[in-house]
Amino acid sequence: VVTNVTGVIVAGASGANNSLKLTGSSALYVKEFRLGCSKNGGQKSSVVVEDGSLLSVSGALSFSATSASNPGFHPSGNNLSVIGAGARLVVSGCTLLGNNGDGNRPGANSLLVYDEASATLDEIIVGTTKSNTGYSESNKVVFGSCAHVTLTSLCLKSGNNALGGNLVEISDGAIVTNSGSVAFGFANVNTELGNKLIVSNAIFHTAKTITVDGGGNDVVLAGTSPKMSVGGKMELLGNGASKLVFALPSSVYDSGAGNAENPLLKCDGGFSLSGSSAICFENAKAFAKSHTASGSYVLIDSTELNITDEQIAASCASLPANMTLEKIGTSLILRVRISGLSIMVR
């Protein structure tokens, strides 16, 4: 157990390929933790917390930082992994996947929590700085394999000068609870590589609002049992064609998923689809083919559902002929109809 550490810098101005491992139920308590601070990228720092160990950061956790004196994209490639039951990450300050000045774009950093590990976090900022003055690219946050994570807010943005490519993935039985809001994208900013928030066979709950804006920004519900719930309102503002994507499974949804009691997406404060934003489907033909009987699935259930008939018609354009999308009350229903031959003997 190591305590009273003011700061940890895994890679300094010219450091690369450095590693730190916490194992054997060890613990490190530190005020500030930085994986790298090179202006040139290519740090490739590796931090692993495993075997019931704890990394506790009372201040900020920063993955990479560069200076405005070296503009352009400088992929840092730094990685923090929390692995296995009993392994824990606790951060009381902000977690920044890329912290930089104007004109710089660090990135290619990853935060992974999986295999029943847990994380207690404050706010997570991916793709932009805390002050929104600089941007980073191609960062990855994955909460998977039955991880348990709490956080206070999630910011997933890329500005005019960044390509995007940032990913937050919640998958494979993970349970993630956000006590605040989700801010996703800037108005009228199109990201070339796209940013994604994916919930796949996992549970993601946000207590307040989810706001999706700009282009190239997708919220994806995937797998046979995704579940996403929003305590406030979820808005796709349409300033650049943001999308809500249902990546349909190659088989039917699991029993109990996608029904009135357990919709794939539940919004207690309303759901709104504005402007050029859209609801899209992936893998629709394989999903339809997997059905031997007709099926009906509640995709969205909300106190208020602001989706126009024209938007529904546009969403249906890519579906097979035996699939329809219908707005019934405050629910959005996907139907698969299987026709058959009936023989009546009198």
Side-chain angles (χ1 to χ4, degrees), residues 116-137:
E116 301 183 40
S118 64
T120 303
L121 308 172
D122 194 76
E123 59 179 331
I124 300 178
I125 298 179
V126 185
T128 184
T129 62
K130 195 173 179 66
S131 61
N132 288 338
T133 58
Y135 310 103
S136 60
E137 302 170 9

Side-chain angles (χ1 to χ4, degrees), residues 255-315:
S255 176
N259 57 29
E261 293 74 29
N262 191 24
L264 302 188
L265 172 60
K266 184 174 177 59
C267 300
D268 291 335
F271 178 88
S272 178
L273 192 67
S274 303
S276 55
S277 57
I279 293 176
C280 302
F281 296 92
E282 295 178 357
N283 202 40
K285 289 183 179 179
F287 179 69
K289 189 176 180 180
S290 70
H291 285 68
T292 58
S294 297
S296 179
Y297 306 97
V298 181
L299 302 183
I300 303 174
D301 182 66
S302 179
T303 53
E304 184 179 0
L305 194 61
N306 291 320
I307 304 175
T308 67
D309 292 340
E310 291 77 13
Q311 289 168 330
I312 292 176
S315 299

Side-chain angles (χ1 to χ4, degrees), residues 25 33 57 73 83 216 224 230 260 267 272 280 316 327:
S25 299
F33 195 103
V57 184
F73 181 42
I83 310 167
T224 58
V230 187
C267 300
S272 178
C280 302
C316 288
K327 178 182 174 182

Side-chain angles (χ1 to χ4, degrees), residues 72-146:
F73 181 42
H74 303 287
S76 310
N78 297 325
N79 178 78
L80 169 56
S81 298
V82 188
I83 310 167
R88 291 183 296 148
L89 171 65
V90 177
V91 183
S92 300
C94 181
T95 297
L96 286 159
L97 269 290
N99 186 19
N100 55 296
D102 287 329
N104 282 282
R105 308 192 317 273
N109 301 308
S110 58
L111 168 61
L112 312 175
V113 182
Y114 58 98
D115 284 351
E116 301 183 40
S118 64
T120 303
L121 308 172
D122 194 76
E123 59 179 331
I124 300 178
I125 298 179
V126 185
T128 184
T129 62
K130 195 173 179 66
S131 61
N132 288 338
T133 58
Y135 310 103
S136 60
E137 302 170 9
S138 302
N139 299 296
K140 179 170 64 176
V141 177
V142 177
F143 303 131
S145 302
C146 300

